[in-house]
Amino acid sequence: MSVKKKDSLPPYICTYKGELLAGVDEVGRGPLAGDVVAAAVILDPARPIEGLADSKKLTEKKREQLFDVIRENALSFAVARATVEEIDRINILQASLLAMHRAVAQLSVQPEYVLVDGNKKPDWQYACDTVVKGDSRVAAIAAASILAKVTRDREMVLLDREYPGYGLSGHKGYPTKAHLAALEQLGPSPIHRRSFAPVKQLVMELG
């Protein structure tokens, strides 16, 4: 793997090992509720995007701005998911890999090489490498992380209206004290992951 470790993004690349590159990332492994969402992005070398970075290190306003810029300027992009039911059935790691697989498969331009954030990659036909902390090191992965996070955050805001009382628009499903307290009071909703320990334990207690 030739991507060197550094805190800032490396030079803007659209090919890797001489081949058309897609960056892939997912958002939503840790929450107790909601789907896990993945995105794949192929950047256009003729239309570089300034300001790409790990979505978690950007403000919400900046992520929203870059979300539109990426969609307007990328050579190809796709967003996919694995559902709560799939997470509970096959586990969160496999569901995350499934969402990544779906995102790359949906690209209108198929990549010749894929870089995946993290240290696990789907079992697929693409030539591929993993990049630990890739969303801070590879522009295409950073772009994917932004698309995935903004998409999922927006969905959680909508789900907060459908399932009020849990505070989903604020914590986005993560196990905050407020979320855990709401779970104790209200019980799990249909979008809570019953395979995750806090929800599983509550379901057992409720019988």
Side-chain angles (χ1 to χ4, degrees), residues 143-196:
S145 77
I146 292 165
L147 291 191
K149 181 164 178 56
V150 171
T151 297
R152 190 177 189 282
D153 284 357
R154 289 178 177 178
E155 290 177 0
M156 297 307 289
V157 171
L158 294 176
L159 287 169
D160 192 15
R161 302 173 189 171
E162 188 172 352
Y163 301 102
Y166 296 98
L168 298 172
S169 63
H171 52 63
K172 306 301 189 294
Y174 284 87
T176 63
K177 288 183 179 180
H179 190 185
L180 293 172
L183 267 173
E184 286 284 348
Q185 180 180 0
L186 302 173
S189 75
I191 62 165
H192 278 92
R193 302 172 180 178
R194 280 156 172 75
S195 58
F196 278 44

Side-chain angles (χ1 to χ4, degrees), residues 92-150:
I92 185 59
L93 172 59
Q94 294 305 316
S96 298
L97 297 176
L98 178 60
M100 292 180 185
H101 197 299
R102 288 169 173 168
V104 176
Q106 291 173 22
L107 288 168
S108 60
V109 177
Q110 283 293 283
E112 298 168 314
Y113 212 93
V114 182
L115 292 181
V116 177
D117 183 58
N119 60 5
K120 303 288 185 182
K121 59 185 177 182
D123 181 15
W124 54 15
Q125 76 274 21
Y126 300 100
C128 178
D129 270 315
T130 58
V131 188
V132 175
K133 296 184 179 179
D135 45 10
S136 295
R137 299 165 60 195
V138 179
I141 296 178
S145 77
I146 292 165
L147 291 191
K149 181 164 178 56
V150 171

Side-chain angles (χ1 to χ4, degrees), residues 18-78:
E19 297 182 299
L20 187 64
L21 170 69
V24 183
D25 199 6
E26 54 73 32
V27 172
R29 285 195 189 187
L32 303 178
D35 298 344
V36 60
V37 176
V41 177
I42 299 176
L43 295 171
D44 186 343
R47 306 176 77 180
I49 300 169
E50 296 294 329
L52 292 174
D54 176 0
S55 63
K56 297 184 293 296
K57 297 179 181 178
L58 299 171
T59 65
E60 181 178 358
K61 180 179 180 180
K62 185 63 175 177
R63 286 195 300 267
E64 290 282 348
Q65 292 172 344
L66 283 169
F67 180 87
D68 293 330
V69 174
I70 294 164
R71 289 167 58 91
E72 291 168 3
N73 291 278
L75 188 63
S76 183
F77 68 88

